[in-house]
Amino acid sequence: MEETMATSVKASKPRRAKRIQISSLIASVPMAVVAIGVFVVCVGYSVMLSFTKSRLFPNFKWVGFDQYERLWGTSRWLVSVENVFLYGVLFIALCLVSGFFMAVFLDQKVRFESGFRTLFLYPYAMSLVVTGLVWQWMMEPSLGIQNVVQRMGWESFEFAPLVSSEYAIYGVLIAAVWQSSGLVMALMLAGLRGIDGEIWKAARVDGIPTWKTYLFIVLPMMRPVMITSVVLLAVGVVRVYDLIVAQTGGGPGMATEMPAKFVIDYITVRSNVGLGMAAATMMLLPVLLVIGPWIYREYVRPTKH
Amino acid sequence: MEQIQLTGPQGPKPKKTTVSRFGVYAFLFSAAIFFCIPLYVMLVTSMKGMPEIRLGELFALPGDPNFSAWVKAWSEACTGVECNGIQAGFWNSVKITIPSVAISIILGSLNGYALSFWRFKGSNLLFGILLFGAFVPFQVVIFPLIIFLRETGLYGSLAGIILIHTIFGMPIMTLLFRNYFSSLPDELFKAARVDGANFWQIFLQIMMPLSIPVTVVAVILQTTGIWNDFLLGLIFAGRENLPMTVQLNNIVATTFGIREYNVNMAATILTALVPLAIYLLSGKYFVRGIAAGAVKG
């Protein structure tokens, strides 16, 4: 792999440049330390620990796949995985749909465009802890939204998802979509603005209705933006921790437990590092499979000119 | 780097029919209300007294608006054992954020510069690994890092949490600066080389002044990111240096008897204030920052 790497140099440098490259190498030491030391060695160490009996402290007694067997026999982990799938699919879908609609509607030469944009995006500037706490307060059964609507006369109105183990995950979902859909809106709006105006003229000349143009012409052209959005949102899904801790603490029961929280709980409070690292390795797997090839293709593989 | 242009709508010409125009505005206004409600509720709740909150009029304006809950949240609320309010967390966040932002930007710009103009054998592979780090869930590397910091005596210290933020900021900062420097004309670099400038001279005298716009983006991206961090602060900062987000969560979780929702909401607003101010003041740069965070080469 080393040889192919070197061929990607932007402009081939003469031999005498070699001496100066030492400065470059020195400047790159922190990068090398982080890349190798943290993202290779630490990841490798974590994965290795998942094959050991480590409890509170690392222990190098090799136990093969025992921790993984235990992990997949732990109901809390199974629930976490189920939760993250349900949450992830709905979160990504809702953010994409609402982000796309917001972008399309904002792109209709509306008044106050920048005002709307500011409003749609401000939650993204706030932390997930803040987001979780605000929504927890509004979803409080006796003082929150439910109470207000009931007092207005709609007695049977129910909106207190966080206290029900069946609906709590949707309560988290609302908060998450509120926080992140503005991001998708911003990306999609940039995508829409990047589309050649000629496309619109051509579509109009051909008499294609606006909605059809959006659906069959514009949307396919926005594929790169969609992929970027999905990658970003998906990374957020795998990592979801702060929001859960602030909004539900994983409850009621295990209703909103997530893999990211499972790992932290097992390496801190529950002092079962081996099992926690097995869970962490499972979290790494989808990231590795999706992001790995993409990074290799985009950035590592030499560009051919 | 992908430049985001937000000036001038490019969509189809608005139709004359007022019905569809009405639909557009109806959608936008209802969306705007959905996005506003939490902020509104936070604000009014923080300015109410507890008796008024118990009435359950979530959306009602405060009858006697006052900032006593804000004062309490800032200087008296209990964050666990201590009851000095969230101010300690605020200053901790400041102490964590400023050096972390500065160091990660310096290293990121240096890396980006080396990767754009001074590539060496294996530099692309190194960058690939680093970039991969931007996607690695923290959970996968946290435990080895805890051990490492414990061994070096940095665990639970200010230096430790700054180091951690620098590590996790490096992938995205490197990417940002690499993309920016690659967009600069090669001739600039070649001319400087012909004039005999070395690695550091070119970096300090040519590249740094040129990279002010991208640095602004980097500062915004890192400041909001580090300020909003919860997990890393919780684990690595140590009891003395807990950032504001962690203290906020502690205030809300600490319940002695009644829950003081007004104080909780005031503390929440105080915590959100810095990133919100950055967002409102920086406008386009913030959007550019998140687009850069979108890892688009």
Side-chain angles (χ1 to χ4, degrees):
Chain A
M1 201 182 287
E2 285 285 297
E3 290 84 17
T4 52
M5 239 35 65
T7 55
S8 65
V9 185
K10 202 163 163 189
S12 57
K13 283 181 216 86
R15 287 276 153 219
R16 64 194 152 83
K18 256 216 163 123
R19 190 172 49 86
I20 299 159
Q21 279 197 3
I22 290 167
S23 298
S24 169
L25 285 172
I26 291 168
S28 301
V29 166
M31 171 168 67
V33 168
V34 170
I36 312 275
V38 178
F39 298 124
V40 174
V41 174
C42 285
V43 169
Y45 189 74
S46 290
V47 173
M48 194 192 72
L49 285 181
S50 73
F51 293 103
T52 67
K53 262 176 93 169
S54 303
R55 298 282 309 178
L56 176 57
F57 294 105
N59 168 331
F60 298 103
K61 194 165 161 42
W62 195 262
V63 293
F65 283 91
D66 280 12
Q67 298 285 13
Y68 290 88
E69 266 175 47
R70 273 184 59 203
L71 181 70
W72 288 99
T74 307
S75 64
R76 190 166 160 206
W77 171 254
L78 295 175
V79 172
S80 302
V81 172
E82 216 174 284
N83 285 344
V84 83
F85 266 105
L86 177 69
Y87 167 85
V89 169
L90 291 175
F91 171 71
I92 293 175
L94 284 171
C95 281
L96 285 182
V97 170
S98 60
F100 179 70
F101 272 104
M102 288 189 286
V104 165
F105 281 77
L106 274 181
D107 201 30
Q108 306 298 315
K109 295 189 167 65
V110 293
R111 278 158 178 267
F112 322 117
E113 191 205 308
S114 73
F116 282 122
R117 233 169 37 210
T118 308
L119 276 182
F120 296 166
L121 192 57
Y122 86 88
Y124 194 70
M126 310 210 303
S127 69
L128 285 163
V129 176
V130 165
T131 303
L133 294 177
V134 176
W135 281 95
Q136 182 204 52
W137 165 225
M138 294 199 300
M139 290 172 180
E140 217 278 331
S142 60
L143 297 170
I145 293 174
Q146 172 174 291
N147 175 269
V148 173
V149 178
Q150 282 180 354
R151 274 153 161 258
M152 274 159 45
W154 185 354
E155 304 267 324
S156 62
F157 180 82
E158 274 182 43
F159 184 71
L162 300 185
V163 293
S164 121
S165 54
E166 196 182 337
Y167 295 115
I169 194 113
Y170 301 102
V172 176
L173 191 64
I174 293 173
V177 172
W178 177 82
Q179 205 258 355
S180 299
S181 55
L183 163 75
V184 181
M185 178 278 297
L187 296 174
M188 296 248 188
L189 192 58
L192 285 177
R193 300 269 151 99
I195 284 172
D196 194 346
E198 295 299 314
I199 304 275
W200 282 108
K201 281 185 196 151
R204 216 169 307 124
V205 169
D206 289 346
I208 304 170
T210 310
W211 68 269
K212 269 195 176 169
T213 315
Y214 271 116
L215 200 60
F216 297 114
I217 300 171
V218 174
L219 205 55
M221 289 179 76
M222 302 240 293
R223 233 192 79 170
V225 179
M226 307 276 265
I227 292 175
T228 307
S229 309
V230 171
V231 168
L232 275 187
L233 296 171
V235 171
V237 168
V238 179
R239 285 180 175 173
V240 63
Y241 177 82
D242 314 5
L243 185 63
I244 301 293
V245 169
Q247 204 180 353
T248 65
M254 296 191 283
T256 53
E257 286 293 346
M258 294 286 175
K261 188 165 169 293
F262 183 97
V263 176
I264 300 295
D265 288 355
Y266 272 79
I267 63 176
T268 56
V269 190
R270 296 189 174 225
S271 316
N272 192 340
V273 168
L275 194 66
M277 289 302 103
T281 307
M282 297 314 302
M283 284 174 69
L284 183 66
L285 220 50
V287 178
L288 204 60
L289 291 178
V290 176
I291 306 288
W294 176 70
I295 288 181
Y296 181 74
R297 205 179 53 237
E298 290 283 314
Y299 294 98
V300 183
R301 195 179 55 180
T303 41
K304 292 178 186 92
H305 282 298
Chain B
M1 190 178 79
E2 191 188 31
Q3 290 286 317
I4 289 221
Q5 261 309 339
L6 290 174
T7 42
Q10 301 254 300
K13 268 202 173 139
K15 281 195 190 142
K16 292 275 150 58
T17 48
T18 47
V19 181
S20 70
R21 288 305 277 170
F22 177 79
V24 168
Y25 282 106
F27 173 87
L28 289 174
F29 275 109
S30 34
I33 289 170
F34 171 69
F35 282 100
C36 276
I37 282 179
L39 191 60
Y40 172 79
V41 167
M42 270 157 91
L43 273 172
V44 293
T45 306
S46 74
M47 291 194 262
K48 287 175 182 172
M50 273 314 286
E52 203 179 346
I53 288 173
R54 275 190 220 98
L55 293 176
E57 302 281 357
L58 188 68
F59 299 118
L61 284 168
D64 170 29
N66 64 77
F67 287 93
S68 55
W70 289 54
V71 175
K72 190 164 183 191
W74 179 254
S75 53
E76 289 163 42
C78 297
T79 58
V81 204
E82 283 164 47
C83 293
N84 299 321
I86 206 165
Q87 56 173 331
F90 175 84
W91 293 115
N92 287 343
S93 284
V94 171
K95 278 187 275 183
I96 293 169
T97 305
I98 292 175
S100 306
V101 170
I103 298 171
S104 61
I105 288 179
I106 291 169
L107 291 180
S109 60
L110 205 50
N111 289 343
Y113 165 68
L115 284 167
S116 307
F117 298 108
W118 301 87
R119 290 188 202 177
F120 48 89
K121 237 183 184 191
S123 64
N124 266 14
L125 179 64
L126 214 53
F127 177 62
I129 295 171
L130 194 67
L131 195 55
F132 173 67
F135 296 96
V136 170
F138 296 150
Q139 279 77 1
V140 185
V141 286
I142 272 180
F143 187 71
L145 284 176
I146 292 174
I147 294 178
F148 172 72
L149 290 193
R150 265 199 195 132
E151 293 299 312
T152 51
L154 289 171
Y155 186 73
S157 71
L158 194 60
I161 181 70
I162 291 168
L163 177 66
I164 292 291
H165 277 305
T166 305
I167 288 172
F168 286 109
M170 212 189 280
I172 194 67
M173 288 298 105
T174 302
L175 177 74
L176 188 66
F177 280 97
R178 172 195 177 269
N179 288 352
Y180 179 76
F181 287 133
S182 325
S183 72
L184 294 178
D186 249 8
E187 286 69 29
L188 202 69
F189 174 74
K190 282 183 191 149
R193 288 298 308 282
V194 169
D195 287 348
N198 68 25
F199 181 89
W200 297 102
Q201 284 169 329
I202 297 177
F203 180 65
L204 295 171
Q205 291 170 16
I206 300 173
M207 295 305 165
M208 275 187 38
L210 276 174
S211 57
I212 288 170
V214 72
T215 306
V216 172
V217 171
V219 168
I220 291 164
L221 192 68
Q222 282 295 82
T223 310
T224 45
I226 293 171
W227 191 274
N228 286 339
D229 158 70
F230 175 79
L231 178 60
L232 298 177
L234 177 71
I235 291 185
F236 291 100
R239 197 176 282 229
E240 298 296 305
N241 310 301
L242 290 180
M244 208 176 184
T245 45
V246 178
Q247 294 221 327
L248 168 69
N249 198 50
N250 288 348
I251 286 183
V252 176
T254 312
T255 39
F256 298 122
I258 40 161
R259 271 190 171 219
E260 293 185 292
Y261 293 108
N262 49 358
V263 176
N264 291 354
M265 284 301 111
T268 310
I269 295 174
L270 288 170
T271 308
L273 227 43
V274 168
L276 273 184
I278 291 174
Y279 169 59
L280 292 174
L281 293 176
S282 69
K284 246 176 238 168
Y285 284 106
F286 183 87
V287 180
R288 260 180 227 171
I290 61 169
V295 193
K296 193 78 178 60

